[in-house]
Amino acid sequence: MSEHRALVRARMFASELTTTVQSVLPDSPEFLARVNADATRLQLSPFEADGETAASMPLFIGGEKVAVWRLTMLLDLDSSGEYLKVTKSNFALSALVDRTPLVRFEFDDAMHTAPAAHWQFHGERGAFSFLLGIAKANHKDVKPHSLASLHFPVGGARMRPGVADLLEFLVRECGFDALEDWEQAIREDRARYRTIQARTIARDMQAEVAAVLKAAGWDVSPPADVVETGTKFLRGW
Amino acid sequence: MAPVSTVTPEELRMQRERILERLGLTLDEYLERARLSELSGAEWAVRDDLDAIAFLLGEDEFVD
C-alpha cells in the first residue's frame, strides 16, 4: 500500500526543516517525524538516541557551546492527504547554566485564553511586577511573580514568524555562530514559508483577493459557491 | 526524506509515566505547577515531550 500522502508531505517538511537548520547553525541534528498509530497526528523534532525524547540543539559563540534551543512542531494530518497543518509549535532558547528557558516563541492554534502566536520572556522587571500586583489586587487574572506568564502577541496564526525568523533571531540578535551562506538558507526558507501563508490567506479571503486582482488588471470570476473561512484569521488574537 | 516512526498509545503512556516518575510528580501536579508558572529547570526540560505525548494521544490538554 502506498504511504499516506500527508505523511509523505510531512516527511518532506521534516527534510526541508533539517536542511534549513543545518545550513544555518553548526552541528545541528536531523529533524525526524513520529506519528501516532492511526496516522492522524505527527510530531517533528530532533530526537535523542532513544527515539522518543525531543533533543535540544547546540548553540555556539566563538566555537564554544554556550546555549541550547529546542523546536518541536505538532501537526494534524487528514485522511484525504491534502491537509497538513501545524497545530502547535514550541521554540525555546536556554543557557547551559539553567534549563529554564530565556525566551520562548509558541504557536497554539487552539488557544483561546492567550494569543495563538506569542513570545514569552523569562525575565523580571520590578516595575512591571508592581503594576501586575496592582492588577492582582483588583482581582485580575495575572501573575505578578512571573513575567514569563505574559503572552506577547505576534501576528496570529497566519502572520506569525516562521522558522527562518527564529533562526535569524538566534544569529543576528543573539550573536550565535552561524555557517557560511546562512543568509541564503534563511531567505529561501522564509520565501517558502511566506508563500504558503499567503496562499492560505488567499483561500481564507477569496473575495478580497479577487477584488485586488481585478484592480490589478486580472480577469477574475467567482465559482458557484464561494467558501470563505477568514473570520478566524481576521478576528483571532 | 526524513524517516517516520510510528508510536502506539501504550508506548506514549509508558513514556509519560517514565518522565513523571523521574520528576516525582503526577500529571495533574505537573500541569498545576505549569499553570502557576512554577516549573523548575528539570520540569521545563520535559515540557515538549509531555506536550507531544498529549497531542499524539489526542488529549489536547497542553502545558502552558
Side-chain angles (χ1 to χ4, degrees):
Chain A
M1 195 174 80
S2 65
E3 188 173 57
H4 190 307
R5 270 195 299 164
L7 213 47
V8 174
R9 292 173 63 183
R11 285 155 60 94
M12 291 173 63
F13 182 41
S15 294
E16 289 171 0
L17 194 55
T18 296
T19 299
T20 300
V21 171
Q22 291 185 343
S23 299
V24 175
L25 297 172
D27 284 352
S28 292
E30 183 181 15
F31 280 78
L32 304 174
R34 189 165 77 143
V35 66
N36 63 355
D38 56 2
T40 55
R41 292 184 162 199
L42 184 136
Q43 173 188 3
L44 289 186
S45 311
F47 286 96
E48 300 287 358
D50 64 11
E52 64 176 26
T53 304
S56 297
M57 293 173 277
L59 291 165
F60 303 87
I61 296 178
E64 181 185 356
K65 182 180 174 183
V66 291
V68 293
W69 70 295
R70 303 172 72 94
L71 180 62
T72 292
M73 293 190 175
L74 304 176
L75 297 92
D76 275 305
L77 313 174
D78 82 332
S79 56
S80 72
E82 298 302 325
Y83 176 69
L84 179 67
K85 178 187 173 191
V86 176
T87 297
K88 195 173 194 306
S89 60
N90 294 341
F91 160 91
L93 167 65
S94 306
L96 287 186
V97 293
D98 181 355
R99 285 190 285 180
T100 300
L102 301 167
V103 293
R104 292 182 283 145
F105 168 73
E106 296 181 358
F107 169 65
D108 183 350
D109 197 43
M111 185 166 266
H112 299 296
T113 55
H118 55 261
W119 282 95
Q120 288 170 272
F121 300 87
H122 290 252
E124 300 307 330
R125 173 82 192 275
F128 210 155
S129 293
F130 177 75
L131 288 176
L132 294 175
I134 297 172
K136 180 81 172 174
N138 280 270
H139 313 292
K140 303 295 175 69
D141 184 18
V142 295
K143 300 185 181 79
H145 72 283
S146 173
L147 294 190
S149 65
L150 298 178
H151 304 82
F152 292 83
V154 281
R158 298 285 182 256
M159 295 183 172
R160 68 187 191 272
V163 171
D165 302 313
L166 302 175
L167 290 168
E168 188 153 2
F169 166 75
L170 292 174
V171 175
R172 207 179 289 281
E173 299 288 320
C174 301
F176 293 114
D177 293 350
L179 298 166
E180 199 175 340
D181 298 331
W182 67 275
E183 288 172 295
Q184 177 66 20
I186 292 281
R187 279 195 292 270
E188 288 173 4
D189 188 81
R190 181 176 287 133
R192 190 163 51 234
Y193 170 72
R194 290 189 180 170
T195 298
I196 293 169
Q197 296 302 87
R199 290 170 67 96
T200 307
I201 292 169
R203 192 186 63 207
D204 284 347
M205 306 285 298
Q206 293 176 34
E208 291 294 328
V209 171
V212 172
L213 290 174
K214 282 180 183 173
W218 290 71
D219 186 12
V220 182
S221 57
D225 296 312
V226 177
V227 179
E228 296 221 11
T229 55
T231 304
K232 184 177 175 186
F233 163 59
L234 288 175
R235 299 182 184 174
W237 193 11
Chain B
M1 286 196 294
V4 176
S5 64
T6 299
V7 62
T8 66
E10 292 72 27
E11 289 168 331
L12 290 165
R13 291 192 186 96
M14 285 173 58
Q15 183 190 359
R16 182 157 63 189
E17 279 179 25
R18 287 194 296 274
I19 292 169
L20 293 169
E21 194 174 290
R22 282 200 301 273
L23 296 175
L25 295 172
T26 66
L27 181 60
D28 286 344
E29 286 170 341
Y30 184 94
L31 293 174
E32 180 65 3
R33 288 180 58 73
R35 193 185 68 78
L36 296 172
S37 297
E38 293 179 350
L39 292 181
S40 68
E43 291 159 1
W44 270 113
V46 301
R47 193 263 189 138
D48 279 8
D49 291 319
L50 292 177
D51 256 5
I53 290 167
F55 177 76
L56 293 172
L57 285 171
E59 294 177 348
D60 292 335
E61 184 177 5
F62 301 124
V63 179
D64 188 68

